[in-house]
């Protein structure tokens, strides 16, 4: 399972800065990968135990966005704990939907979720 959420990069009051300390060699890593046929990953902004935040380009709307790729701390979770993987997926989707209902200048807006469903978790 990979779940991606998109936030508005550059939105007043919205921060795309990572909340965890990054090793300098990983900060700003350039990539070229397209998610859901729409979001081109441009640069890694930061990450932590549950995922990575990317600067991305929305190819449909021609705008820069922040994209969060959520993944479990252990990519093999689905192989040895299918119930744990299902619970994690449900929790991430529930939190994304709750966050999407919030409209506040200090909170990043969720515009889109890409959910691979029950597919096996793959590390990146």
């Amino acid at each position: 399972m990979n779940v991606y959420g998109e936030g508005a990069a550059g939105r007043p009051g919205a921060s795309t800065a990572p909340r965890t300390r990054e090793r300098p060699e990983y900060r700003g890593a350039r990539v070229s990968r397209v998610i859901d046929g729409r979001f081109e990953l441009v640069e890694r902004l930061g990450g932590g135990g549950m995922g990575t935040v990317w600067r991305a380009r929305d190819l449909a709307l021609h705008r820069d966005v922040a994209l969060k790729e959520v993944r479990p701390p252990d990519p093999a979770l689905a192989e040895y704990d299918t119930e744990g993987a299902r619970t994690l997926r449900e929790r991430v989707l529930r939190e994304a939907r709750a966050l999407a209902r919030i409209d506040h200048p200090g909170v990043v807006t969720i515009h889109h979720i890409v959910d691979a469903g029950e597919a096996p978790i793959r590390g990146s």
Side-chain angles (χ1 to χ4, degrees):
M1 168 194 72
N2 284 322
V3 179
Y4 301 90
E6 172 204 352
R11 176 176 176 231
S15 171
T16 58
R19 294 179 186 254
T20 60
R21 286 193 168 267
E22 288 292 311
R23 294 194 328 197
E25 65 269 23
Y26 294 136
R27 196 176 306 127
R30 300 272 177 189
V31 296
S32 182
R33 189 171 99 201
V34 176
I35 305 300
D36 199 33
R38 178 174 176 178
F39 303 102
E40 180 180 22
L41 303 183
V42 175
E43 176 182 19
R44 186 177 190 274
L45 296 175
M50 287 298 289
T52 304
V53 177
W54 302 91
R55 180 183 320 277
R57 181 78 179 153
D58 183 335
L59 301 174
L61 298 176
H62 305 282
R63 65 180 177 171
D64 290 332
V65 299
L67 187 140
K68 183 172 185 179
E69 178 181 16
V70 180
R71 58 189 186 315
D74 181 359
L77 180 66
E79 294 175 20
Y80 67 84
D81 185 1
T82 55
E83 187 59 35
R86 189 177 351 273
T87 299
L88 177 62
R89 175 181 172 269
E90 290 168 0
R91 184 180 124 210
V92 168
L93 289 172
R94 185 174 53 249
E95 289 177 5
R97 289 177 182 127
L99 184 58
R101 291 191 298 265
I102 298 172
D103 183 19
H104 187 276
V107 177
V108 173
T109 302
I110 301 291
H111 294 284
H112 186 76
I113 296 174
V114 179
D115 179 13
E118 298 294 327
I121 299 171
R122 299 184 197 282
S124 52

